[in-house]
Amino acid sequence: DEDAQPEVHYLAAAEAAQALNAPARRDNYLRLAQDLQPDSAMALDLKRAAWQIETGQIEEAQALVARLEREHGINPQVIKLRMLLARRRGDSQALLAMLPALRRDRLVSFDAANALERECSVAALRELDDANLTEIVRYYNAHGDSAPSAIFFAQEQVRYVLAELTP
């Protein structure tokens, strides 16, 4: 029977509203689905936050993700949303800080995690004005890396940045 699960229809309608860039209608359909199926509140909120990030409703998504963390704790889906938010904001510091959790929970592939680490490291290096190697080592040591690996990594990153900036 098609009408046995009207919340599924509301979810489909919310998805259609999202595709039409109609966030008010999307949120209304999600509320209707949640009213019919209160146990699905977290799943619907996770979907709402992802859609908010997708449509650039960053402040709303941040508030929703913070509420999800308070109410349900940190879990892989919330970490993934935090990653999407940090990427959208261009917050390389936050992305570097969550890399261990992304790797631990296998939320991104090994190659994607390495690429993200390199991307964030390059962004962090670009933020350091007239940085010398000592400052870079201090930066990486503050993020828990050992000094020898930090020196090697910093040298590699400096080479990479110089190659990127050289015409």
Side-chain angles (χ1 to χ4, degrees):
D1 183 34
E2 286 183 24
D3 295 323
Q5 295 181 321
E7 64 276 4
V8 173
H9 297 287
Y10 286 133
L11 186 56
E15 193 162 353
Q18 173 70 14
L20 294 171
N21 197 22
R25 283 192 297 178
R26 171 202 67 207
D27 290 342
N28 184 50
Y29 289 127
L30 288 173
R31 268 190 298 280
L32 292 168
Q34 186 172 337
D35 289 345
L36 291 172
Q37 195 66 281
D39 292 344
S40 65
M42 182 178 178
L44 292 171
D45 282 343
L46 289 167
K47 192 65 178 165
R48 177 181 290 124
W51 281 338
Q52 287 173 334
I53 295 166
E54 185 181 304
T55 58
Q57 297 174 285
I58 302 306
E59 289 179 19
E60 295 89 340
Q62 283 177 303
L64 182 53
V65 169
R67 183 174 61 76
L68 285 167
E69 285 179 342
R70 279 191 314 276
E71 293 176 3
H72 304 285
I74 305 271
N75 64 53
Q77 294 95 344
V78 171
I79 293 170
K80 186 117 183 187
L81 288 171
R82 288 176 51 215
M83 179 193 73
L84 293 172
L85 278 167
R87 273 183 140 336
R88 190 72 181 229
R89 290 188 320 261
D91 188 346
S92 57
Q93 300 290 335
L95 287 166
L96 279 173
M98 67 178 71
L99 261 173
L102 293 170
R103 285 185 168 121
R104 179 193 68 229
D105 294 333
R106 291 182 172 88
L107 296 173
V108 293
S109 71
F110 179 79
D111 291 339
N114 287 341
L116 180 61
E117 185 170 30
R118 168 166 257 153
E119 175 188 320
C120 292
S121 298
V122 169
L125 286 172
R126 287 183 176 157
E127 291 172 11
L128 297 173
D129 297 332
D130 300 321
N132 60 35
L133 190 55
T134 305
E135 291 176 85
I136 295 170
V137 170
R138 181 184 52 73
Y139 172 82
Y140 282 99
N141 284 337
H143 287 82
D145 292 334
S146 65
S149 66
I151 291 170
F152 173 76
F153 188 73
Q155 288 170 334
E156 290 301 309
Q157 293 302 317
V158 168
R159 284 189 193 104
Y160 179 78
V161 169
L162 290 175
E164 288 288 311
L165 298 176
T166 305

